[in-house]
């Protein structure tokens, strides 16, 4: 049972480059999220989705775009990477937005922007 | 807005010591409360949860009680093990408002043999 899978696990980008992080879940969850984790900051929500074809902004959306073309996939894009986007990115999914049920997390993507 | 304040550490304990990690919250409505744990190199996983006042969540020897009067959800374990070394996050999900999970900043725990 794969759960939530993120690719890639590690990436180094040069400033100004673009990339897409892929999140896939096999639990038929409606809700998916992208967080970033920085030292001393905890987890901050970037964007989230309440279902296929929908997306919404979270706490720190600037510099990121997302798409949810298929229910099982949630893509996070960086159009022009900046050093401030160096972070560990986590994708999560849950059966409902209200959090009554467990949110499942991927293992993370460590991104360094130089 | 909704927020979570927790002990940030880092904290180092000896094996079999007693652990308390304080967590207080501010929320509109009636939130559900969670503790997540992150082991080295891994994503977060749910440790325990409580969905209404006076509920006690428990798992792997950890416990936390939802205290509405003090808006708290402190995590406790009577005897920690080396394998409990991890980062612990308190989180809430508020009903009737912004239902997204809101996390505290996390606390790193190291348990020495």
């Amino acid at each position: 049972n794969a759960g939530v899978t993120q690719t890639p696990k590690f990436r180094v980008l040069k400033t100004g480059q673009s990339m897409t992080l892929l999140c896939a879940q096999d639990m038929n969850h409606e809700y998916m999220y992208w967080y970033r984790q920085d030292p001393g900051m905890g987890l901050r929500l970037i964007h989230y989705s309440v279902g296929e074809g929908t997306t919404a902004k979270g706490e720190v959306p600037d510099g990121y775009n997302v798409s949810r073309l298929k229910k099982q996939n949630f893509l996070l894009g960086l159009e022009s990477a900046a050093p401030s986007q160096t972070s560990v990115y986590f994708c999560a999914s849950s059966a409902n937005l209200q959090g009554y049920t467990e949110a499942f997390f991927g293992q993370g993507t460590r991104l360094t922007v130089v | 807005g909704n927020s979570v304040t927790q002990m940030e550490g880092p904290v180092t304990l000896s094996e079999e010591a007693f652990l308390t990690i304080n967590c207080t919250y501010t929320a509109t409505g009636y939130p559900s409360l969670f503790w997540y744990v992150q082991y080295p190199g891994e994503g977060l996983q749910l440790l325990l949860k409580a969905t209404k006042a006076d509920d006690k969540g428990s798992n792997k020897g950890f416990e936390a009680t939802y205290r509405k009067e003090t808006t708290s959800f402190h995590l406790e374990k009577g005897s920690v093990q080396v394998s409990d070394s991890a980062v612990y996050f308190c989180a809430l999900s508020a009903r009737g408002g912004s239902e997204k999970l809101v996390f505290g900043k996390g606390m790193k725990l190291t348990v020495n043999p």
Side-chain angles (χ1 to χ4, degrees), chain A residues 35 37 40-43 45 48 90 97-103 105-107, chain B residues 32 34 36 38 41-44 46 49 89 93 95 99-101 103-105:
Chain A
Y35 290 90
Q37 183 180 26
M41 301 295 291
L43 274 78
L45 183 65
Y48 65 101
F90 287 99
L97 187 61
Q98 293 189 346
Y100 296 168
T101 59
E102 179 178 352
F105 283 78
Q107 291 200 325
Chain B
S32 294
F34 307 85
Y36 280 82
Q38 183 181 29
E42 298 185 9
L44 279 71
L46 182 67
K49 70 178 181 182
F89 293 90
S93 175
R95 315 175 197 183
E99 289 90 354
K100 300 173 288 298
L101 274 174
F103 287 90
K105 293 185 177 181

Side-chain angles (χ1 to χ4, degrees), chain B residues 13-55:
Chain B
L13 296 175
S14 298
E15 204 164 26
E16 299 184 2
F18 183 83
L19 171 69
T20 299
I21 305 176
N22 289 339
C23 172
T24 57
Y25 68 88
T26 302
T28 55
Y30 302 95
S32 294
L33 302 174
F34 307 85
W35 278 100
Y36 280 82
V37 60
Q38 183 181 29
Y39 298 106
E42 298 185 9
L44 279 71
Q45 55 186 274
L46 182 67
L47 180 60
L48 54 83
K49 70 178 181 182
T51 58
K52 61 182 187 296
D54 300 325
D55 269 2

Side-chain angles (χ1 to χ4, degrees), chain A residues 12-107:
Chain A
V12 177
L13 285 180
K14 293 183 179 180
T15 298
Q17 286 185 317
S18 63
M19 77 164 294
T20 300
L21 281 66
L22 172 63
C23 177
Q25 52 95 4
D26 62 1
M27 296 171 283
N28 201 35
H29 284 166
E30 289 293 333
Y31 305 101
M32 297 187 74
Y33 320 82
W34 276 107
Y35 290 90
R36 60 178 290 173
Q37 183 180 26
D38 302 293
M41 301 295 291
L43 274 78
R44 293 181 292 172
L45 183 65
I46 304 171
H47 286 280
Y48 65 101
S49 169
V50 302
E52 182 179 317
T54 73
T55 63
K57 294 180 179 180
E59 181 184 358
V60 288
D62 293 343
Y64 305 94
N65 57 76
V66 288
S67 64
R68 184 98 181 268
L69 299 180
K70 294 182 179 181
K71 185 177 183 179
Q72 64 267 34
N73 295 337
F74 195 31
L75 279 62
L76 177 71
L78 285 73
E79 293 183 344
S80 179
S84 60
Q85 295 178 305
T86 294
S87 187
V88 181
Y89 292 85
F90 287 99
C91 177
S93 70
S94 67
N96 69 52
L97 187 61
Q98 293 189 346
Y100 296 168
T101 59
E102 179 178 352
F104 292 82
F105 283 78
Q107 291 200 325

